[in-house]
Amino acid sequence: MLHLSLNFQAHLTLQKTQSYRYRRPLISASVALETGVQGLSSPPNSSVLWVDQSKERIRKLFNEVDYSVSAYDTAWVAMVPDPHSSQAPLFPKCLNWLLGSQLHDGSWSLPHHHPLLLKDVLSSTLACVLALKTWGIGEEHIKKGVRFIELNFALAYEECQFSPVGFDIIFPGMLDHARDLSLGFQLEPKLLNDLLHKRDMELGRIRESHSKKSEAFLAYVSEGLLKLQNWDMAMKFQRKNGSLFNSPSATAAAAINVRNPSCLNYLYSVIDKFGPAVPAVYPLDIYARLCLVDNLEKMGISQYFTNEIQCVLDDTYRCWLQGEEDIFAETSHCALAFRLLRKHGYDISSDPLIGILEDESASSYCCNGSWNEVNALVEVYQASQMAVHENESALEKQNLLSKHLLRQHIFNGCDSKGFPNQIFQQVEYLLKFPSPLILPRVEIRKNIEHYNVDSGRILKTLYRSSNFGNEDLLRLAVRDFNHCQLIHRNELEEIERWYTQNRLHELKFTRHKAIYGFFSAAATIFSPELYEARMSWAKNCVLTTVTDDFFDVGGSEEELRNLIDLLERWDVNISSDYCSDISSDCCSENVQIVFSALRSTISETGEKASILQGRNVTSHTKEIWLELFYGFFREFEWTRDKTVPTLDEYMANGYVSFALGPILFPAIYLRGPKLSEEVARHPEMRSLYKHVSTCGRLLNDMRGFERERKEGKLNSVTLRLSPDGTVSEAAAIEEVKLLIENERRRLLRLVVQKDGSVVPRACKDMFWNLSRILHQFYFNNDGFTSEVEMVDLVKAIIHKPIPLEDFE
């Protein structure tokens, strides 16, 4: 969960607590921190207490969405006159809040504001000055505010400063209003004229477009236009709750100029909920809760909040079906809802999302979710990766478009300001490693490292919510990650002992990559309670590598036939004869080592899985291994006889010989839940297996075809090449890439499908996560050959804890 939000390291606690009374306080230093996290210590028994308290604080956010206060919006609400007396404010308590919330430097903003957010501070301060001047109070406050604006006015034209949405129109508009109120600003004339000229040029460009999205933008920045606004046009964007875009400031501007009763009702509702200081956007409940769900899942701690998450998703699904405005009025809201609902198996069409993206009247163009906003692009990009149906070409188009626009942002050096640099680092990583193509545990670590407790979103002003950035969530995620990692390190030592005890290190022909086998298990099945499934996965991953190498380069035909015969007969005596170190049933020591390790592992995992499943599953595991060996031997025969199979023959055998069956099925049995014989052998289960295996085979062939061609081995890429050159190497690779994407999509469709599915979701997720492993392993090379990258990944997931002090 890449948090594409603005990172502010400054403390955000106001000197006057009433100023930001809706911000959930950060965990105090006196709160006992968790044990086992590098760099932290705590008194005995405090860890469990802290974890419980932390979970409870997070749990409350599902019901009580946290909003930060906006001085900018509060100032505009304070300017609304009483309908019965235009000489009196309708919300005098908002004025009192402004009087009590000015900072020592004369500004109104979050304290210790980021040096590249001074445009936001200028805008908020000017709005507050206007509000006080409108009602003729707070003369000293006005003087201090005017002085701050005069000293920092040049920054309003600085390109290096981060601009809030609509700043180039709103700020000059407020300066015009200040002149009408006879506020005596001493401003540099040239800078002021340049700013006003820039505003006029921008307005001219927008109005010339005559598009609905331009109209929506102008309605959203209504407070910057006032008398210049076409209010009949602007009010077309009024929402059912009476607001303009859920924006208190824009709605207040409308209430001032058109005296719309619904606008006033909306403002009353905001004041009733928040008191004298209002947020930058309201309501935000659905989106904020979805962000919390997304954060919990991407940080690897959603398992602690399954009931709460289910309630949020069910409620969002109901709102989706009912066409709720809070989902479909904003691009980013709709994209996030679509991604999470489809990910969790809700049967929804992509048509509403596509309709918003293609409809120029979408109000989100100008608000949180603007196509000019990186956050919205990222949401659309991630949502478009959830295309699962054959007829979703429009969603695929949006994937390509959003990817292109994100790359443009990076290419154009949008991080040159320095302030949003971390955002664009995250975008670069997201483009390089899309979520469906990265290991779950790798993604979780990256999300933790990119997570910002003090994250904020920029609309017309900065706003924050604990649903977006939360210290409890970060600490819990770090603790959980490091706790799992400690367990995984101990398990790796166990795997290494098993490897040695089974004499696998004596085999000269094989790749000794036991750590990578365990890494793929730990990076996928990482929960501590899934120990047996994790160990089975790791051991069988090692054994499939060993047997693959044995059939490929290590064994003679006699040895291969002998190994297959031993597996078919199973109950054979492989103890050494009194006069030999090799059993009479084994034709070589290599066969004896391989079969001994194989049989003991199948027996051990089969016995444990049979207890969990309540029936014998060892026979099924043996069948899977035999199917693999038959596939291996068929390829051996093709090479021996110099036979070139058809492409269909190659792929029919190739998905089996890719050797995922013996890894997956025992782990699924050990992971649970219970599977009947019918479900375990159901066509749906076979389809899941075939799709992920085909995807792996094609990835392997695409990355390794040059090496395998030199070695004279068959490959689905080389089989596509025509002797006359009509099918080029590049064309064959592109065809394979398309097939990989199609297989990945079919797999995802089966994984998220609820109706008619007999395979439990927990089991289907194993297939999906294995697909992510394959894409990670074959990102650059043919899996095991990218040593440097793999070593770094192993360190990050198994050996290197996340130090929490890095985030403090």
Side-chain angles (χ1 to χ4, degrees), residues 75-103:
W76 276 103
V77 172
M79 285 187 245
V80 177
D82 190 321
H84 305 293
S85 174
S86 60
Q87 302 304 310
L90 181 59
F91 304 109
K93 290 184 179 180
C94 292
L95 285 171
N96 293 334
W97 184 89
L98 295 179
L99 291 172
S101 301
Q102 188 175 34
L103 301 181

Side-chain angles (χ1 to χ4, degrees), residues 21-36:
R21 65 190 190 90
Y22 309 115
R23 279 252 323 139
R24 185 170 297 282
L26 300 180
I27 300 173
S28 67
S30 63
V31 174
L33 302 180
E34 64 275 21
T35 57

Side-chain angles (χ1 to χ4, degrees), residues 529-751:
E529 67 272 14
L530 299 179
Y531 161 81
E532 295 293 357
R534 193 161 46 249
M535 297 302 282
S536 169
W537 180 298
K539 291 176 181 179
N540 284 308
C541 191
V542 170
L543 290 174
T544 54
T545 301
V546 169
T547 53
D548 181 30
D549 290 342
F550 191 53
F551 276 85
D552 195 18
V553 296
S556 65
E557 181 170 351
E558 179 188 7
E559 289 175 311
L560 303 185
R561 291 184 181 277
N562 184 204
L563 182 59
I564 294 173
D565 177 65
L566 291 172
L567 186 57
E568 289 174 334
R569 291 194 288 146
W570 187 253
D571 292 321
V572 294
N573 182 12
I574 56 170
S575 301
S576 302
D577 293 336
Y578 70 93
C579 59
S580 172
D581 293 331
I582 304 173
S583 165
S584 59
D585 286 304
C586 301
C587 68
S588 70
E589 188 175 16
N590 280 348
V591 171
Q592 181 166 317
I593 292 173
V594 172
F595 182 69
S596 176
L598 187 65
R599 190 172 70 170
S600 64
T601 303
I602 292 174
S603 298
E604 177 193 2
T605 58
E607 182 178 347
K608 293 176 180 177
S610 296
I611 294 173
L612 190 150
Q613 291 293 324
R615 62 183 182 85
N616 189 308
V617 299
T618 304
S619 58
H620 187 210
T621 304
K622 287 190 291 184
E623 288 177 29
I624 294 167
W625 273 103
L626 272 173
E627 183 184 29
L628 174 62
F629 281 9
Y630 295 153
F632 282 164
F633 194 76
R634 188 170 295 110
E635 291 179 351
F636 168 81
E637 290 179 316
W638 287 340
T639 302
R640 181 197 63 194
D641 301 337
K642 295 184 170 55
T643 301
V644 179
T646 66
L647 186 57
D648 288 343
E649 289 173 335
Y650 173 84
M651 289 306 302
N653 187 73
Y655 87 85
V656 174
S657 66
F658 192 65
L660 297 183
I663 299 171
L664 265 170
F665 286 99
I668 287 173
Y669 281 136
L670 287 163
R671 190 241 181 271
K674 287 185 177 181
L675 301 174
S676 67
E677 182 82 10
E678 181 184 7
V679 170
R681 297 178 181 273
H682 194 275
E684 181 186 0
M685 187 77 82
R686 188 69 183 188
S687 293
L688 288 161
Y689 167 51
K690 185 174 182 179
H691 287 314
V692 71
S693 297
T694 301
C695 195
R697 169 53 65 195
L698 292 170
L699 280 166
N700 177 82
D701 288 358
M702 184 176 68
R703 293 301 186 190
F705 86 94
E706 289 184 352
R707 173 180 55 79
E708 292 181 336
R709 181 168 56 183
K710 292 176 183 177
E711 296 173 355
K713 296 178 181 177
L714 295 170
N715 184 291
S716 63
V717 176
T718 54
L719 287 173
R720 282 177 166 79
L721 301 176
S722 58
D724 59 2
T726 54
V727 178
S728 66
E729 184 177 296
I733 291 174
E734 285 304 312
E735 183 181 350
V736 169
K737 285 182 179 179
L738 181 61
L739 290 170
I740 291 170
E741 177 58 26
N742 289 338
E743 290 295 331
R744 186 194 69 80
R745 181 176 301 175
R746 293 187 185 110
L747 175 63
L748 180 58
R749 181 163 64 244
L750 284 175
V751 170

